Amino acid sequence: MNRFDIDDDLVRTLVREQHADLAGLDLRPVDGGWDNQMWRLGDELAVRMPRTEQAPSLLRNEHRWMPELGPRLPLPVPVPVRVGEPSARFPRPWTITTWVPGEPADRTPVTRGGPAADSLAEFLRLLHREAPAEAPVKPHRGVPLAAVTSHFESSADAVGGLDGELRAVWDEAVAAPEWQGPPVWLHSDLHPANVVVADGTLAGVVDFGDLCAGDPATDLAAAWLLLPAGADLRLLHGYAHADEAMIRRARGWAVLRGMNLLAIGRAGDRGLPGGKVTWGPAGRATLDRVRASWRKAGLPR
């Protein structure tokens, strides 16, 4: 993945040249980000600068769809308000969006599981509407789990293999009946770094670059990725449309995403480029919660 860094002076210059009416606002960098580096711009805005090859397409995806989808969602989300055009100073498009206050959940996890489960269930019910034919499709998001088996195996290798329980969860997920409904809108990247927390519960959802259409079970993996142990059932019951097959598929997605977080966290522990030290604990916690859910008597198996 080709990355490069952008400094404060460049961002200030670009804002001044292309959006002069905003140039007087305070600019300060924000830690985090994967495909994009981010700066606060005043109290209500953020500048997102792409630093990977795929980042411009993700920003275009957000700019196309979030003004339409954002207003119907019950949690705060970033909505693009300005576009920065490629120039001699910076050869890629960039955006200015609304700022969503809160702390990323990979640094400040959700502690009030009940309220968070209720908020997330409502968010997903309202997001998961039938998507139009022109909605984006992602090869590793929202698809049947059998289509990502090679990705699963490479992820398992990256974390040193899986125990028998997690393998059983995955096998049950792959064997579950596939989604038969129409493709619905998905965030598709609901992991702890892409939500923010305040007062122990969800305060917003960010980073919609991977927004796409597909199987809602992809997003329901958030029951184990985002919520503390024991809150998964409250989310699944509150969502109301989660049958046994969907829950099995959702657990499978949670195993896959948990492994990805763990692998990226290990890279950060070793000081490797692209590693995120806060993601490792989030990945381990996800896998622990999946195991506990799978073991619990009375849950669909």
Side-chain angles (χ1 to χ4, degrees), residues 253-290:
W253 281 109
V255 172
L256 179 58
R257 303 310 303 280
M259 288 194 301
N260 291 342
L261 290 171
L262 185 55
I264 293 169
R266 288 183 175 181
D269 289 339
R270 297 193 297 270
L272 298 178
K276 296 283 188 180
V277 294
T278 58
W279 290 22
R284 283 190 291 274
T286 295
L287 298 179
D288 287 344
R289 290 191 287 261
V290 170

